[in-house]
Amino acid sequence: MNAPQTVSVVIPFYGDPAPTQGLIRSLLEEPSPHLHEVIVSDDCSPTPFPATEGVTVVRRRRNGGFAQAVNSGARAATGDLLLILNSDLELPRGFLDSLVARARPWMPALVTTMLTSCDGHPSWSGRHFPRTHHYVTEWLLPLVRLRHLPLLHELVGHDTTADGTHDEVVDWAVGALMLLPTDTYRAVGGMDESFYMNCEEVDLQRRLREAGVPTLVLAGQGATHEGGGSSAADRRVGWVVDGRRRYARKWQGTAGLRRLEAGLLAATAVNLLWNSARAVAGAELHPLEVARTQWALVLHPEQHVPPANRHGARCTHLVGSAHAS
């Protein structure tokens, strides 16, 4: 009989330890033959993650963002499979055993599940590889009220064929929950550390696809994902725009980056007209202030990225780890 595949769980951490501790408890309190180790990659959090029994804590000297934190944890992993988890996930009982069993026929692959928000709404875990019109459509404020329509989901890049009713191969999947072979992750070089806090998982899955490794979204609801709880909204939007610019520059060159900038700036002008009309109609809005904020986000997104992580800056790497047993 074959030995069960071992899983190294890697959890990048920054901020409040409580959600991460809850996630770890849900993993450790439910015995699984697959669970090999739990690794928390502390990305120089202002509140350090405490030494915890049964957990390896990798401590970084500098904050480097999601990609660097995951890579630091992955370098310490010794299991057959990596399970990369956001710290704000809630996992149902039996999750790990079910995930490994259902993923096995597809391996090597990057496998995830449908995620559910805290209010019970399913998210679109599967996505299409980004194109400029996805980002421009998402930027347009007049379309926000139509986001529930399937057509709008597709126009912002959601793969609506991955609706949770069946297993579906997609271009890429949201990086909150990713299972893949450890050797496969290392073979493609892990995550590109020039990304700070967005699009690193898209870039990883594009390189995996070029290596013949698919991304799969399993049927059914998998986990609850809060999302964005540890950072302010303005910084999150800045990180998103910065990551999208970096992705466009890497995969589409300077011309692709300029298309993205032009599209977002044109959408900003549309938003200004839309907000101005609503303000005239009596809505409590500040159209020029919103336009200035959006303009700055498009042209200066790195204002919310640490200097060491800005475009052209040198990346920092893993410096050490601590284990509590």
Side-chain angles (χ1 to χ4, degrees):
M1 185 175 179
N2 293 333
Q5 289 180 295
T6 56
V7 176
S8 293
V9 177
V10 174
I11 306 171
F13 164 76
Y14 186 91
D16 180 7
T20 306
Q21 290 171 320
L23 174 60
I24 291 170
R25 281 195 298 272
S26 70
L27 289 164
L28 297 181
E29 291 176 357
E30 186 172 8
S32 169
H34 298 290
L35 184 59
H36 178 64
E37 59 191 345
V38 176
I39 301 168
V40 172
S41 184
D42 185 331
D43 196 18
C44 197
S45 174
T47 303
F49 192 80
T52 302
E53 184 177 358
V55 177
T56 298
V57 181
V58 174
R59 302 194 187 278
R60 296 179 50 83
R61 289 189 188 138
R62 289 185 181 180
N63 175 258
F66 188 77
Q68 291 189 36
V70 171
N71 283 351
S72 294
R75 281 193 283 273
T78 58
D80 302 320
L81 303 172
L82 279 180
L83 177 57
I84 301 166
L85 298 177
N86 272 20
S87 60
D88 55 359
L89 287 171
E90 295 181 10
L91 305 180
R93 291 190 61 82
F95 175 80
L96 183 59
D97 289 346
S98 174
L99 177 65
V100 173
R102 295 179 62 197
R104 184 187 293 270
W106 293 93
M107 290 297 177
L110 186 149
V111 179
T112 188
T113 67
M114 290 287 288
L115 301 175
T116 304
S117 63
C118 292
D119 58 9
H121 291 97
S123 66
W124 295 99
S125 299
R127 307 291 174 92
H128 300 292
F129 283 134
R131 301 181 65 180
T132 299
H133 77 266
H134 294 150
Y135 295 153
V136 172
T137 303
E138 191 175 47
W139 200 253
L140 285 167
L141 295 178
L143 300 181
V144 169
R145 64 187 63 192
L146 304 177
R147 291 280 177 82
H148 63 285
L149 299 176
L151 176 60
L152 261 295
H153 280 292
E154 285 287 335
L155 287 175
V156 298
H158 298 167
D159 189 338
T160 56
T161 63
D163 60 1
T165 61
H166 59 283
D167 297 348
E168 181 69 33
V169 174
V170 297
D171 286 344
W172 69 280
V174 174
L177 190 159
M178 299 182 289
L179 177 76
L180 74 165
T182 304
D183 289 346
T184 299
Y185 185 84
R186 291 172 176 164
V188 298
M191 290 191 176
D192 182 342
E193 296 187 358
S194 69
F195 291 92
Y196 180 66
M197 201 66 74
N198 190 266
C199 286
E200 58 281 294
E201 78 270 44
V202 193
D203 173 76
L204 171 67
Q205 291 171 73
R206 185 158 179 171
R207 288 183 284 116
L208 287 168
R209 180 59 59 88
E210 289 188 344
V213 179
T215 293
L216 176 77
V217 178
L218 296 175
Q221 302 299 323
T224 301
H225 182 221
E226 179 179 352
S230 63
S231 54
D234 59 341
R235 285 191 295 165
R236 291 199 302 273
V237 177
W239 293 337
V240 167
V241 177
D242 173 69
R244 291 174 175 182
R245 286 173 52 96
R246 292 176 191 235
Y247 180 88
R249 184 189 295 118
K250 176 174 181 177
W251 289 99
Q252 299 159 9
T254 302
L257 176 58
R258 296 295 173 252
R259 283 195 303 272
L260 176 61
E261 288 177 340
L264 293 180
L265 291 175
T268 297
V270 172
N271 292 341
L272 175 59
L273 294 174
W274 172 258
N275 283 338
S276 297
R278 293 182 64 206
V280 169
E284 293 186 10
L285 294 170
H286 303 281
L288 285 175
E289 182 177 333
V290 172
R292 290 191 190 101
T293 298
Q294 291 189 329
W295 182 278
L297 284 169
V298 174
L299 297 182
H300 306 288
E302 290 188 338
Q303 62 186 293
H304 298 292
V305 177
N309 298 85
R310 292 174 184 171
H311 180 59
R314 190 175 179 180
C315 294
T316 57
H317 296 280
L318 173 68
V319 295
S321 62
H323 181 66
S325 59

